[in-house]
Amino acid sequence: MNGELLVSGFGSGGYVLARAYNASEIFVGEQRPYGLDPNLLVIQVGSAGLIFAQYYKAGELGIPLDGLDPDLTVKGFGPLGFIFGQYYKAGELGVPLDGLNPDLEVIGAGFGSDGGTCLTFGTSYKASELGIPLKGLDPNLLIQGYCFRSDGQVRFTLGTSYRVGELGIPLQGLDSDLETRHIVITSDEWFIIVSVESDDTLSLIATGIEQEFTVTAGDVLQRDLDLSYR
């Protein structure tokens, strides 16, 4: 980030800028993220990406939309993808839903390099309200986000932390008291539990194979970390 920016505040949400800057002024040299239009006005930058000084239409950002309706209002963009300026129904986004209930309210959307789609809901829904197969997942779990790939892998972001023993899926030797807010389910029924260890550190535990390691949240979000271990 450009060290000459005027900053009026800093917290868990990142830097709050003292005035609006063009996107091209935020990062030095080749650091300008994601091919974003350099003339967009930015008022905040942090781990969630850039928050704009005004709402833009998705088609005005200057980046690939992967089928997203170009008329949707966007207030921010970053590693997680698009942050909308209002709630939209999933069916209004213009992207494939892979069986997901089209009436769910969505506040954000992102797209992976593998062609996958990730949606962040405007409220937490029960798993049974999503309209998709749960593969043994407890239907009463609160879900805040859902991602799906063409190879059948799905990822759930839970609306609250749960112990592994509360998920309703096979544990395969995992500690039932492990707290998690994320689950990845691959097409062949392997489960990967992502536990939150701090604000910026995740511990990934893959069941069915002996693999466990710790990464930062940025590794997962910015490098599109492959969680299928294939």
Side-chain angles (χ1 to χ4, degrees):
M1 193 169 74
N2 190 336
E4 298 180 356
L5 299 178
L6 294 175
V7 176
S8 65
F10 177 72
S12 59
Y15 297 89
V16 179
L17 304 178
R19 65 176 178 83
Y21 288 87
N22 287 336
S24 60
E25 299 177 287
I26 302 296
F27 293 94
V28 178
E30 297 300 318
Q31 294 181 343
R32 183 168 63 86
Y34 327 118
L36 205 65
D37 184 333
N39 296 312
L40 301 182
L41 295 175
V42 176
I43 56 173
Q44 186 171 337
V45 57
S47 59
L50 304 178
I51 305 298
F52 303 131
Q54 64 189 56
Y55 290 167
Y56 292 99
K57 288 186 176 182
E60 297 175 323
L61 300 186
I63 56 175
L65 297 181
D66 291 303
L68 195 72
D69 185 338
D71 290 326
L72 300 181
T73 59
V74 177
K75 72 173 183 179
F77 185 78
L80 289 173
F82 303 87
I83 304 171
F84 300 130
Q86 64 185 69
Y87 291 158
Y88 289 98
K89 288 187 176 183
E92 298 175 321
L93 302 181
V95 299
L97 296 182
D98 196 37
L100 197 71
N101 182 350
D103 290 327
L104 300 181
E105 288 190 331
V106 177
I107 195 61
F111 305 97
S113 60
D114 55 17
T117 301
C118 294
L119 303 180
T120 302
F121 302 132
T123 186
S124 293
Y125 290 98
K126 287 186 176 181
S128 59
E129 297 176 309
L130 302 184
I132 56 174
L134 297 179
K135 296 185 179 180
L137 198 68
D138 185 335
N140 292 312
L141 296 183
L142 294 177
I143 307 294
Q144 186 64 54
Y146 175 68
C147 302
F148 49 89
R149 298 196 331 190
S150 59
D151 64 1
Q153 183 185 112
V154 296
R155 308 181 190 184
F156 296 93
T157 300
L158 304 177
T160 186
S161 293
Y162 289 97
R163 296 180 187 274
V164 168
E166 298 174 316
L167 301 180
I169 59 178
L171 300 179
Q172 300 187 30
L174 282 183
D175 183 350
S176 61
D177 289 329
L178 175 70
E179 290 190 358
T180 184
R181 291 198 64 176
H182 304 269
I183 311 169
V184 177
I185 305 178
T186 64
S187 57
D188 59 2
E189 303 295 336
W190 282 9
F191 300 93
I192 298 166
I193 306 298
V194 185
S195 65
V196 180
E197 299 201 342
S198 70
D199 288 343
D200 59 358
T201 303
L202 309 174
S203 176
L204 307 185
I205 302 176
T207 68
I209 53 178
E210 294 182 359
Q211 186 161 358
E212 178 177 351
F213 55 94
T214 299
V215 298
T216 65
D219 288 331
V220 177
L221 300 176
Q222 295 176 9
R223 301 178 191 176
D224 196 22
L225 186 67
D226 182 8
L227 296 183
S228 65
Y229 303 107
R230 294 308 184 122

